[in-house]
Amino acid sequence: MLARVLDVFFPMRCAGCGSGQWPFCQVCRGEVVAPSPPGYSRCGLPAEEELASCRHCPPPPLAVARAPFLYAGPIRAALLRLKFDGWRSVAEALGRAMGAVNAFPADVVTWVPLSAARRADRGYDQARALAQIVARLSGVRLAALLVRVKDTAPQTARSGPERRRAMHDAFRAPGRSPPRVLLVDDVLTTGATASECARALRRAGAREVGLLTAARATSGALPARCYTRVGSRLSLWLPGRELPVVDASRRRSDPRKGTVGL
């Protein structure tokens, strides 16, 4: 009852622009970028044909990585609101999209943990919030398998090698890990953090670790088909109309903004 009353007086707003329909208004939906096949089977980035891996694949020991969206436009804004502005409801929306693209057969779902200081500052762990939705939708057990033992500065300005050096031995798995673990985080950039988590899980007994994130950061132009199509599984998590069709015959150089077919 309280939730319904709050929705009347404080309606949920678009996670992209902050003013339209929840979770994304019609304008923001048109700017959402979603990878689509064919692509690289290991990391999920799109390509002109189905291929095994690319130079942007996260480093081993991660077996596979998937994300429903690219880290740009409304998705980037939504994740920043989840991380820094307390919009925990964003996890419900993006977690549903993550569940739609996940195909990793896991025994357990876990997440990349924040340090105690950052978790106290934010009030919650955004990766855990996403993992809770993924676990619930997949019917797989959720468990805290990792502990962050080294707090690191923000990684945004660091290169891939610098990130890997900074994250070395930053995580520990205190208990025994199940064989197949699905690791959840908010954004995949270089994969340095996730691969260090996977190493800790492998040392604890995991045979295979898959990575699932809400978004994937990338650079360079991508095929114009990299958008959610009408009728795709991703459209199920969005209320109301499905995402607009993209005219893939019209190319563009900016991967963050699509050309929407009318």
Side-chain angles (χ1 to χ4, degrees):
M1 175 64 73
L2 176 60
R4 288 196 293 268
V5 172
L6 290 174
D7 285 344
V8 171
F9 291 100
F10 303 99
M12 296 172 69
R13 296 165 291 158
C14 171
C17 64
S19 60
Q21 178 190 14
W22 170 261
F24 292 106
C25 67
Q26 195 65 30
V27 173
C28 286
R29 289 187 195 189
E31 297 179 358
V32 169
V33 186
S36 62
Y40 299 100
S41 58
R42 186 162 177 267
C43 72
L45 275 182
E48 296 301 333
E49 59 181 317
E50 196 71 29
L51 298 168
S53 61
C54 69
R55 63 186 180 91
H56 299 295
C57 283
L62 288 168
V64 66
R66 286 295 183 273
F69 305 113
L70 296 190
Y71 188 59
I75 297 301
R76 180 179 183 275
L79 283 169
L80 291 176
R81 287 188 166 98
L82 172 65
K83 292 175 68 170
F84 303 116
D85 295 340
W87 285 37
R88 295 189 66 167
S89 53
V90 169
E92 177 75 30
L94 298 186
R96 288 181 176 273
M98 294 165 70
V101 301
N102 178 49
F104 183 76
D107 300 308
V108 66
V109 176
T110 195
W111 65 93
V112 177
L114 287 176
S115 67
R118 288 190 189 177
R119 186 169 60 250
D121 182 58
R122 297 179 187 179
Y124 63 93
D125 190 323
Q126 76 275 357
R128 184 179 188 274
L130 292 166
Q132 286 176 316
I133 307 303
V134 171
R136 188 187 75 205
L137 293 174
S138 62
V140 177
R141 178 173 64 95
L142 179 72
L145 300 181
L146 292 163
V147 176
R148 187 183 286 257
V149 295
K150 183 170 71 173
D151 199 1
T152 56
Q155 305 276 12
T156 307
R158 289 176 172 170
S159 65
E162 289 172 335
R163 291 184 184 216
R164 287 189 285 274
R165 285 193 295 270
M167 298 309 302
H168 183 65
D169 286 339
F171 300 93
R172 179 172 59 89
R176 188 70 180 168
S177 173
R180 296 173 300 181
V181 180
L182 180 61
L183 178 66
V184 172
D185 203 3
D186 52 356
V187 181
L188 168 61
T189 306
T190 65
T193 300
S195 64
E196 197 61 37
C197 288
R199 285 190 181 90
L201 291 167
R202 291 286 296 270
R203 288 194 293 265
R207 294 199 305 266
E208 198 173 21
V209 180
L211 176 65
L212 181 64
T213 61
R216 170 70 185 269
T218 186
S219 59
L222 294 171
R225 64 177 176 274
C226 301
Y227 289 82
T228 303
R229 300 177 304 280
V230 169
S232 68
R233 290 182 301 160
L234 288 178
S235 65
L236 297 177
W237 71 278
L238 290 168
R241 300 180 185 177
E242 294 172 317
L243 290 177
V245 180
V246 172
D247 182 357
S249 66
R250 298 164 64 185
R251 298 274 176 167
R252 86 281 183 216
S253 58
D254 185 354
R256 297 170 300 174
K257 297 180 180 179
T259 302
V260 179
L262 300 177

